[in-house]
Amino acid sequence: MEPQVIDRPEKSRYEILAEPDAETGTETGAETAGFAEYHLSEGEIAFLHTEIDPRFGGRGLGGLLARGALDDARARGLRVLPYCPFIRGWIGKHPEYTELVPEARRARFGL
């Protein structure tokens, strides 16, 4: 199974599901490999904290999670407030996502 990003609004977070043993080909079922917590309010989504389980480290799942969450925010027409350092840094490396951050607030986030 390819990693999958899903919104869990009841938990106020996006989660990335992945196989823990992808390198060995062992089929153990998908697990929550990480998450990006958010607060949703009045057309804005504030990303607060992102975390990847160390067992899944080094596989690029953090970037996949950021891209999936930001693509969903874009599709929903939400303005993004990247308080989370990981999401903020990821947007900085992928300028095509800068437009999601309100122009008047970009300087506050160093974007």
Side-chain angles (χ1 to χ4, degrees):
M1 176 189 135
E2 291 295 315
Q4 180 181 15
V5 176
I6 55 173
D7 185 11
R8 300 273 196 215
E10 71 280 3
K11 293 182 177 181
S12 297
R13 68 187 203 176
Y14 287 91
E15 294 180 356
I16 187 160
L17 304 179
E19 298 279 343
D21 300 319
E23 291 83 26
T24 63
T26 304
E27 294 290 330
T28 60
E31 295 181 23
T32 300
F35 59 87
E37 293 179 342
Y38 64 79
H39 176 75
L40 189 60
S41 176
E42 299 177 20
E44 293 182 334
I45 187 166
F47 287 97
L48 308 173
H49 176 73
T50 301
E51 190 173 311
I52 297 293
D53 184 316
R55 295 180 303 129
F56 294 86
R59 294 173 42 191
L61 296 177
L64 291 173
L65 175 58
R67 183 180 303 278
L70 293 170
D71 284 348
D72 187 59
R74 175 180 279 144
R76 295 167 59 188
L78 298 172
R79 296 178 304 277
V80 172
L81 305 177
Y83 292 104
C84 168
F86 181 82
I87 298 290
R88 185 171 53 247
W90 196 89
I91 291 172
K93 293 176 185 171
H94 300 85
E96 65 273 22
Y97 288 88
T98 303
E99 69 189 33
L100 298 176
V101 180
E103 189 171 356
R105 300 178 85 176
R106 290 178 192 162
R108 189 256 183 255
F109 296 112
L111 299 169

